[in-house]
Amino acid sequence: MRILLLAIITFVFSSLKAEDGYELWLRYKPVENKNLLTSYRSFLKEINIYGKSETMQIIKDELKKASLGMLGQTPVFKSTTQKTFGLIIGSPKKTENSNFGQEGFAINSGTIDGKAIIYIYANTDIGLLYGVFHLIRLMQTGQQIAMLNIISTPKIKLRILDHWDNLNRTVERGYAGFSIWDWHKLPDYIDKRYIDYARANASIGINSTVLTNVNANAVVLTKPYLEKVKALADLFRPYGIKVYLTARFSAPIELGKLKTADPLNDTVQLWWKQKIKEVYELIPDFGGFLVKANSEGQPGPQDYNRTHADGANMLADAVAPFNGIIMWRAFVYSSSSNDRFKQAYEEFKPLDGKFRKNVLLQVKNGPIDFQPREPFSPLFGAMPQTPLMMEFQLTQEYLGQGTHLVFEAPLFKEVLNADTYSKGKGSTVTKVIDGSLNNFSLSGIAGVSNIGNDINWCSHPFAQANWYALGRLCWDINLSSAQIADEWIRQTFSNDPSFVEPVKKIMLQSRETLVNYMTPLGLTHIMYNGHHYGPMPWGNTLNRPDWNPVYYHKADASGIGFDRTSNGTNALAQYAVEVQNEFSDINKCPDEFLLWFHHASWDHKMHSGRTLWDELCNKYNSGVDSVRSFIKQWDSLKKYIDEDRLTQVDQLLNIQLKEAIWWRNACLLYFQTFSKMPIPTQYEKPDKTLEYYQNIRILYAPGN
Ligand code: GCV
């Protein structure tokens, strides 16, 4: 009996071929449901494609691949006027349909004379490509395609990946190997990955990529490098993807040998105009520039007593004749402010309405820096005359880096759903970002990329889901985290509900779990200095206060947390009154934001009835318990997963557990030196001393 069982298990395993994750969510595995398979086959047996272009060829290749993989059939491709049934892409008479815009599409299906017929329409070939990927996704996720009546257009115009990739191929805050851009071999050597990158992005609607780090290197603007950029732009164009670069503000000095980079200086302006003309001669549809200026040591207009608007407008004027745009970052902080939280608002709010029309202000989701949980940045409610775009961080700098399973869609949604009240109730961050609240047609969401040259692109198999989530949310900002997770799991692993449901649960809990074992109740930025890997709440050795964890938690004998009410730094005043009311009363402030806004006593009564100290112990422990339960769940799903990914995730979850325990023990032992309260008996006691944790040194964490 046992032997038989073993044989069955071996058979099940061997039928699940090892997967290295390179194919991402585009695996095109055979459809198992017989009824669906029959239906899909009938719709895709014949494919009529109207029109010829590189994009149409991509559509053809993709459909061939999908059809062969999922349906086991090679479609018969017909062109134009032959009798039409099956899948029809494009239209013999192209008439602009204003409902679709430049990227949207429609899909209609049904039967004519008993024959299956399905149409994909769009105003552009790129729209058709998006429509085709949509249809493929429906099949990959096991949905009916027999009676479709879909019109789909993207909610966000610029759907962007920001690569923090350096020209030497290191990736700032990258945890998946080196940069995928092999600058040394470009433009003559085209890595297959570039195409697969474009294809993956097109499949989820991403239409823009900033190739270089915001901590910019002017060298990318030299002729040889622009030739390399051109090679990538040419490859990406048929996939609907535009390239952008980061502009180093001091480039006129470094490359042009000018004495200044003052944005109001005529020679500087001329230098940029000529440089930008050179770029557009090579890349006529070049997107424009992303700029980090006067932030963390980067040069900028303030070096010449000019404003951010002066700097952004100078570049905006230079790219305007070519329809380019400037994405100017609002991530600024300096040692002079009494609260880093307040600084972006203080610098940018007075500039509202002063930027050119082709400038987008790129704002990080929270006021500090991509923490596991932040309140929304007050800027979202404060600049009605400036189009603001969102910057999320896909790469998990502060979210467990390469080793923790954290699905970020719930974080994205939490911020997007937040109400700024800037124009009354319902003025959500979503409406600010999609342009609908303040009437802007230009809109954008950027995700700091988590892609590297690791075989599976993002290192942790589940990190791919964050790339996927960014694209899908940009296309349809109203998609729920659960919908996104569901789609991703089905395409990346299996359609079997016994697998999909538990894995979805893990994914949806994962961000809150990380918050619990890292920075519960509104704690923030208590990671190690520099590489930000591991806990260091005691950190107090750097010469700028706001680089030290103690600045952020302010733990002392009386309590813990940063008082941002009117008794403290009054950062709360940067929000609308309704938001202030939500947070300003220590007894009403939601637990998850308490220590963001209040210095609360250790015995402060929480909503659960527990004291703050007990609640802290509870959260840290529940974070650890959740990771334990993830491991159990994952291991119980063995039979649905190929062995490679099974083991990979299993090992990573075990690292995550170790690190969750490290976080819990280090933080509780340290905070206990102030609270002087015991860890309640029901919780595990740290098995090491505080000193032990304080002596841990990780010298070579990646991405630093
Ligand atoms: C690219 C944080 C990161 C830096 C990053 C910076 C930014 O401070 O630690 O690595 O620099 O944000 O967003 O500019």
Side-chain angles (χ1 to χ4, degrees):
M1 188 63 192
R2 279 187 64 172
I3 291 177
L4 184 67
L5 209 66
L6 215 69
I8 292 170
I9 291 171
T10 317
F11 171 74
V12 170
F13 272 134
S14 57
S15 65
L16 293 172
K17 228 175 108 242
E19 293 196 43
D20 58 21
Y22 183 83
E23 290 173 303
L24 297 158
W25 46 86
L26 301 170
R27 293 157 60 250
Y28 301 157
K29 292 292 169 214
V31 171
E32 283 169 12
N33 180 308
K34 293 275 174 309
N35 292 335
L36 284 176
L37 182 62
T38 312
S39 160
Y40 296 167
R41 277 185 170 159
S42 68
F43 279 100
L44 267 79
K45 203 154 142 195
E46 281 198 9
I47 301 179
N48 280 268
I49 297 188
Y50 287 96
K52 274 199 174 114
S53 68
E54 277 186 80
T55 305
M56 294 311 256
Q57 187 57 44
I58 289 167
I59 287 177
K60 199 170 168 184
D61 294 345
E62 200 64 40
L63 281 167
K64 211 192 274 173
K65 201 170 172 159
S67 203
L68 252 178
M70 290 194 285
L71 317 180
Q73 81 182 3
T74 311
V76 179
F77 284 98
K78 303 207 161 172
S79 53
T80 63
T81 52
Q82 288 138 328
K83 79 175 165 43
T84 48
F85 59 90
L87 173 58
I88 298 158
I89 296 173
S91 151
K93 284 185 246 113
K94 260 202 175 169
T95 43
E96 279 271 316
N97 185 321
S98 56
N99 290 335
F100 308 163
Q102 290 306 294
E103 295 178 301
F105 58 84
I107 310 181
N108 292 305
S109 64
T111 46
I112 295 180
D113 298 335
K115 295 236 164 89
I117 187 153
I118 184 161
Y119 292 96
I120 303 183
Y121 301 109
N123 289 328
T124 60
D125 291 358
I126 296 302
L128 293 173
L129 178 63
Y130 289 144
V132 165
F133 273 121
H134 188 93
L135 178 69
I136 293 175
R137 179 164 49 244
L138 293 179
M139 295 192 292
Q140 282 179 289
T141 53
Q143 298 182 53
Q144 295 286 354
I145 61 166
M147 282 167 69
L148 298 176
N149 189 5
I150 297 171
I151 292 185
S152 183
T153 54
K155 301 282 189 306
I156 300 294
K157 249 204 176 126
L158 302 172
R159 307 179 296 277
I160 313 182
L161 282 180
D162 285 357
H163 289 264
W164 286 357
D165 294 19
N166 298 312
L167 300 183
N168 64 4
R169 289 195 83 172
T170 55
V171 180
E172 184 155 350
R173 311 307 177 185
Y175 310 104
F178 285 97
S179 169
I180 53 169
W181 317 132
D182 190 347
W183 293 109
H184 184 65
K185 295 203 202 101
L186 277 164
D188 302 318
Y189 181 85
I190 300 300
D191 191 328
K192 176 176 173 292
R193 261 188 193 249
Y194 304 149
I195 313 272
D196 290 330
Y197 166 87
R199 190 178 148 238
N201 279 326
S203 77
I204 51 173
I206 286 175
N207 66 0
S208 309
T209 175
V210 182
L211 300 175
T212 45
N213 191 353
V214 285
N215 290 329
N217 185 338
V219 170
V220 79
L221 297 176
T222 59
K223 191 75 195 281
Y225 275 85
L226 289 174
E227 296 280 1
K228 298 168 194 277
V229 174
K230 174 186 162 42
L232 292 175
D234 289 346
L235 285 175
F236 296 165
R237 190 169 298 113
Y239 291 89
I241 297 167
K242 275 191 185 184
V243 298
Y244 295 72
L245 292 174
T246 45
R248 182 156 167 90
F249 205 76
S250 52
I253 302 174
E254 289 159 36
L255 301 182
K257 305 287 170 236
L258 302 189
K259 293 225 157 48
T260 175
D262 181 349
L264 299 193
N265 177 295
D266 291 345
T267 325
V268 171
Q269 291 176 1
L270 189 66
W271 187 87
W272 277 111
K273 281 191 173 139
Q274 282 170 346
K275 178 50 74 185
I276 283 166
K277 190 162 162 269
E278 187 188 334
V279 176
Y280 279 95
E281 273 163 11
L282 283 170
I283 310 163
D285 58 350
F286 178 70
F289 293 101
L290 168 65
V291 188
K292 171 176 178 178
N294 294 118
S295 163
E296 298 186 328
Q298 292 299 302
Q302 291 176 341
D303 303 348
Y304 309 95
N305 292 321
R306 311 298 185 195
T307 67
H308 284 286
D310 293 330
N313 291 344
M314 172 200 55
L315 290 171
D317 288 343
V319 295
F322 310 99
N323 298 319
I325 60 145
I326 299 300
M327 296 173 279
W328 194 267
R329 292 178 92 224
F331 175 68
V332 291
Y333 65 105
S334 74
S335 50
S336 58
S337 177
N338 70 340
D339 185 356
R340 175 172 167 185
F341 184 115
K342 289 165 38 179
Q343 199 161 345
Y345 179 103
E346 284 169 348
E347 278 190 35
F348 283 93
K349 164 85 181 149
L351 299 176
D352 190 25
K354 302 226 161 87
F355 292 94
R356 296 281 191 270
K357 284 206 160 47
N358 56 337
V359 176
L360 277 153
L361 195 62
Q362 181 163 312
V363 182
K364 287 188 181 182
N365 57 273
I368 300 288
D369 191 10
F370 299 136
Q371 295 302 296
R373 169 166 280 125
E374 297 200 30
F376 69 87
S377 164
L379 277 176
F380 291 123
M383 299 195 65
Q385 298 177 71
T386 310
L388 302 182
M389 60 179 285
M390 174 67 78
E391 182 175 333
F392 288 128
Q393 194 182 41
L394 309 182
T395 190
Q396 294 169 229
E397 175 180 1
Y398 298 100
L399 281 88
Q401 305 196 349
T403 49
H404 295 212
L405 188 165
V406 182
F407 179 50
E408 294 183 62
L411 184 162
F412 304 159
K413 293 294 293 185
E414 182 176 296
V415 177
L416 291 168
N417 290 340
D419 200 339
T420 68
Y421 287 92
S422 53
K423 289 196 169 160
K425 193 169 165 48
S427 308
T428 57
V429 173
T430 293
K431 289 187 187 161
V432 176
I433 294 304
D434 71 12
S436 60
L437 189 72
N438 299 315
N439 271 324
F440 290 113
S441 55
L442 201 53
S443 59
I445 297 184
V448 179
S449 153
N450 58 358
I451 298 165
N453 71 347
D454 273 9
I455 184 75
N456 69 356
W457 302 84
C458 303
S459 187
H460 197 303
F462 277 78
Q464 296 176 355
N466 294 329
W467 176 8
Y468 184 85
L470 180 91
R472 295 291 291 132
L473 258 186
C474 287
W475 189 276
D476 184 354
I477 206 163
N478 297 317
L479 281 178
S480 70
S481 303
Q483 281 168 290
I484 298 169
D486 191 278
E487 282 180 6
W488 180 80
I489 297 166
R490 287 171 184 276
Q491 294 168 88
T492 308
F493 288 102
S494 158
N495 266 311
D496 194 319
S498 324
F499 178 80
V500 175
E501 291 311 316
V503 174
K504 201 188 325 179
K505 236 172 150 182
I506 292 178
M507 288 174 75
L508 294 176
Q509 284 174 10
S510 60
R511 183 273 186 135
E512 202 59 41
T513 293
L514 173 116
V515 170
N516 286 341
Y517 64 70
M518 268 192 189
T519 53
L521 305 179
L523 283 171
T524 194
H525 220 304
I526 52 175
M527 295 76 189
Y528 256 82
N529 297 328
H531 55 55
H532 299 151
Y533 179 77
M536 194 198 208
W538 48 84
N540 195 16
T541 51
L542 299 182
N543 50 16
R544 258 181 70 165
D546 55 353
W547 283 344
N548 288 311
V550 295
Y551 168 91
Y552 293 97
H553 63 68
K554 303 204 181 311
D556 57 21
S558 69
I560 181 169
F562 200 130
D563 187 350
R564 295 190 164 99
T565 67
S566 52
N567 300 323
T569 64
N570 207 17
L572 265 174
Q574 295 183 340
Y575 289 111
V577 176
E578 292 86 343
V579 183
Q580 292 180 34
N581 291 342
E582 223 175 294
F583 295 127
S584 59
D585 181 342
I586 193 169
N587 293 312
K588 294 202 189 120
C589 183
D591 288 356
E592 61 268 29
F593 291 110
L594 183 72
L595 306 182
W596 267 99
F597 295 112
H598 299 275
H599 190 75
S601 63
W602 293 108
D603 59 3
H604 170 78
K605 192 123 180 232
M606 304 296 291
H607 292 113
S608 62
R610 286 187 273 267
T611 64
L612 169 58
W613 169 252
D614 282 5
E615 189 76 14
L616 211 57
C617 295
N618 177 279
K619 290 287 180 202
Y620 272 111
N621 276 282
S622 84
V624 169
D625 290 345
S626 300
V627 183
R628 284 201 179 106
S629 79
F630 294 169
I631 296 176
K632 250 202 205 136
Q633 279 280 0
W634 185 254
D635 290 346
S636 76
L637 296 168
K638 271 190 176 79
K639 66 173 182 201
Y640 302 100
I641 319 162
D642 60 286
E643 216 172 336
D644 276 13
R645 292 188 297 173
L646 172 78
T647 326
Q648 233 179 329
V649 174
D650 186 58
Q651 291 179 72
L652 288 164
L653 282 172
N654 279 289
I655 296 178
Q656 185 169 356
L657 176 60
K658 251 196 203 165
E659 296 188 353
I661 294 172
W662 173 24
W663 268 93
R664 178 196 64 189
N665 292 355
C667 291
L668 286 181
L669 285 171
Y670 169 71
F671 291 133
Q672 195 177 33
T673 62
F674 302 102
S675 80
K676 311 270 186 231
M677 291 163 132
I679 293 173
T681 48
Q682 68 267 36
Y683 304 124
E684 278 173 12
K685 301 286 162 306
D687 55 352
K688 307 266 184 350
T689 63
L690 175 60
E691 211 189 352
Y692 168 87
Y693 291 109
Q694 288 178 322
N695 283 329
I696 294 179
R697 292 279 175 278
I698 307 285
L699 294 179
Y700 302 113
N704 192 17

